[in-house]
Amino acid sequence: MSTTLAAGSGFDFTLAQQLTVIALCALTAFIAHMALAVFNDGVRPFLLDFIQGRTTRSATTAVSFGLSAGFIFGLGAPMALSTGVLNPWLLFLPTDILGMLSPKKWLAPLLGGAWGAVVVFGLNGANNVAHDLPVDFLTAMQQMSTPILFLFTLFPVLAITKQFGRVWGAAAGVIELALVVLTMKLWPNMFAGALAMAVGVLMLIGLAVAKDLRLRRADRAAGAVEEEVAADDPMASLFSASAARLRRYLPLFMVLGAGVCVLAQMHVFGGGEATSFLIAKGQYAEAAQVDFYRVFGFVPLIATTALASGAYGIAGFTLVYPIGYLLPNPFLAAVVGALVFAVEVLALSWIGKVLGKLPSVRDSSEHLRSAIGDTLQLAILFGSLMAANAMGGGLGILVVGGLYLFNEAMGRPVVRMAAAPAAVIVGGILLNLLYWLDLFTPVKG
């Protein structure tokens, strides 16, 4: 299966796509202003103090900017420019900030809509300018697709190894490798890691559920006592109040779910790094599969932080991503997205209780998130060095690798996940300057 994108991927949005992006950015900024939902999982726990009046809007905005800026400029923008597909870091992290920054409720959607307009009308111009440069670093960045897609396949193996040990991890690794080889041989037009990831995630969930069932059978009496004690837990009261707050705004969340699902259905948006490349290649079923597996890693995190803070996730449990990719038209996507968000919000309390009874499944979620981060971190770094080599050979590797290492030495002012793509863009600009000074000849052309 080829993982190279067609050079010159652009942003030729239709009017409907432009309006959808602008409207959705306006809505997400409005919802962030009301502290009902944010996209950044790291910001959500800070919103409880804001909701209860213990901190100011400006202080919360500063937290949101500090936790999001690196992902916007180091990951969101480079991924969008290199794939021709929008992503949540580029759309929703800025609207988190703009919504919280806005002092007035009516101003928040205007700022969010303005950001959406900048994205849909500005990206194509930036894309065209970059592709016309002597050193085309955007085309070079498409080299990132192969390591991201193939190394991402291994995240269930890492999660199984961390939670259940080397023997189970080795078994999962052998099975996944065999399935990748088999898929490449028998179904060359299918994403090679699709079947392997499915089996790996099912193995992890099966092992976790089996462990929890054994623990519950062995300790059923103690579990009953714990549930009785938990009834008087002050955290239970907080969770109940947070769930009730979110249910009060159920119609607004249904509109949000409809908007996100419609955007995914239009196939100009990818929910993750690997997904963006798959959407760009037109492999929507494989993209849905990848984002569906990510859901298992984020449901416990999103549910518990939502119940603890009273603020939900802009994309909910992210189920609307894979569902949207597969639906045949935007009208059906709007209906289904609204219903999915309604079910999620109404089920939050129940999900919290279920997760409280399945500690191994909760641990699996944490290991999945960690494994996804580890695989993508290596894949993005390796892919960025491949891009550096494509645009500048050894000098490109020196510049991009040097910028990455300099960021590490300075204590990572740019988060590690975003540092390498940001270094490719800065390195590409620097190589173009050297070309104009007649100090560098591009590797190609």
Side-chain angles (χ1 to χ4, degrees):
M1 180 196 69
S2 171
T3 53
T4 303
L5 307 183
S9 300
F11 297 90
D12 296 322
F13 299 111
T14 65
L15 178 61
Q17 291 165 348
Q18 292 171 345
L19 293 176
T20 299
V21 172
I22 292 170
L24 186 56
C25 286
L27 176 63
T28 53
F30 178 72
I31 289 174
H33 172 85
M34 297 180 68
L36 286 173
V38 290
F39 181 77
N40 193 321
D41 295 320
V43 173
R44 200 171 303 116
F46 291 93
L47 291 184
L48 180 62
D49 285 341
F50 174 73
I51 292 168
Q52 296 184 346
R54 292 194 296 268
T55 189
T56 63
R57 180 173 294 277
S58 59
T60 309
T61 302
V63 170
S64 182
F65 181 83
L67 292 175
S68 301
F71 287 102
I72 297 169
F73 300 108
L75 188 61
M79 287 296 296
L81 288 169
S82 61
T83 62
V85 175
L86 301 177
N87 58 68
W89 307 286
L90 183 64
L91 293 184
F92 302 145
L93 289 181
T95 57
D96 281 359
I97 299 168
L98 293 171
M100 290 304 304
L101 176 67
S102 175
K104 301 292 183 180
K105 187 180 293 186
W106 59 267
L107 182 59
L110 293 180
L111 292 175
W115 174 252
V118 168
V119 170
V120 295
F121 295 116
L123 276 181
N124 200 44
N127 183 73
N128 291 336
V129 169
H131 282 303
D132 288 337
L133 292 173
V135 180
D136 184 356
F137 53 86
L138 292 187
T139 298
M141 287 184 72
Q142 294 173 8
Q143 297 286 330
M144 296 170 63
S145 64
T146 300
I148 286 177
L149 289 174
F150 278 89
L151 287 177
F152 186 76
T153 302
L154 292 174
F155 78 86
V157 177
L158 269 64
I160 290 171
T161 305
K162 290 179 178 180
Q163 186 170 7
F164 296 104
R166 289 174 289 183
V167 173
W168 277 113
V174 170
I175 291 171
E176 283 211 5
L177 177 60
L179 289 172
V180 168
V181 173
L182 185 67
T183 303
M184 294 176 74
K185 182 69 175 177
L186 299 181
W187 305 287
N189 293 324
M190 178 180 173
F191 169 46
L195 184 59
M197 278 191 291
V199 172
V201 171
L202 288 174
M203 280 184 66
L204 176 65
I205 295 172
L207 289 168
V209 171
K211 182 177 179 180
D212 280 333
L213 291 176
R214 288 196 302 270
L215 290 173
R216 286 183 66 78
R217 282 196 297 267
D219 204 21
R220 193 176 300 274
V225 172
E226 288 171 6
E227 288 175 16
E228 185 177 341
V229 172
D232 298 325
D233 188 347
M235 287 302 292
S237 176
L238 173 63
F239 281 14
S240 177
S242 296
R245 177 179 188 260
L246 296 176
R247 285 196 298 270
R248 284 200 302 272
Y249 293 94
L250 184 62
L252 189 59
F253 281 115
M254 292 177 71
V255 175
L256 176 62
V260 176
C261 197
V262 167
L263 185 63
Q265 191 280 329
M266 289 178 166
H267 300 150
V268 295
F269 174 89
E273 300 88 345
T275 316
S276 293
F277 285 107
L278 290 169
I279 292 290
K281 290 168 60 60
Q283 295 181 315
Y284 308 130
E286 287 87 345
Q289 186 178 349
V290 168
D291 271 355
F292 179 71
Y293 299 146
R294 291 174 70 107
V295 170
F296 294 104
F298 287 89
V299 166
L301 172 68
I302 293 169
T304 52
T305 54
L307 290 170
S309 67
Y312 199 40
I314 286 294
F317 293 145
T318 70
L319 270 171
V320 287
Y321 293 164
I323 291 172
Y325 303 149
L326 298 176
L327 291 176
N329 63 71
F331 303 104
L332 182 60
V335 173
V336 174
L339 291 176
V340 168
F341 257 51
V343 172
E344 289 180 6
V345 172
L346 293 174
L348 266 178
S349 293
W350 177 80
I351 292 171
K353 292 176 183 176
V354 170
L355 290 173
K357 299 175 182 177
L358 299 171
S360 296
V361 173
R362 290 201 314 271
D363 290 344
S364 293
S365 169
E366 294 177 8
H367 288 301
L368 273 176
R369 290 198 311 277
S370 174
I372 288 172
D374 290 344
T375 54
L376 287 174
Q377 186 174 295
L378 176 61
I380 290 172
L381 174 58
F382 187 65
S384 296
L385 291 175
M386 289 173 64
N389 183 64
M391 69 184 182
L395 180 60
I397 292 174
L398 172 66
V399 171
V400 172
L403 288 171
Y404 179 86
L405 292 173
F406 186 57
N407 183 70
E408 290 285 307
M410 290 192 302
R412 299 191 201 112
V414 179
V415 290
R416 183 177 279 169
M417 186 81 77
V424 174
I425 291 181
V426 174
I429 294 171
L430 179 59
L431 290 176
N432 276 291
L433 291 174
L434 292 175
Y435 168 82
W436 287 321
L437 293 172
D438 201 22
L439 296 173
F440 170 72
T441 301
V443 172
K444 294 183 180 180

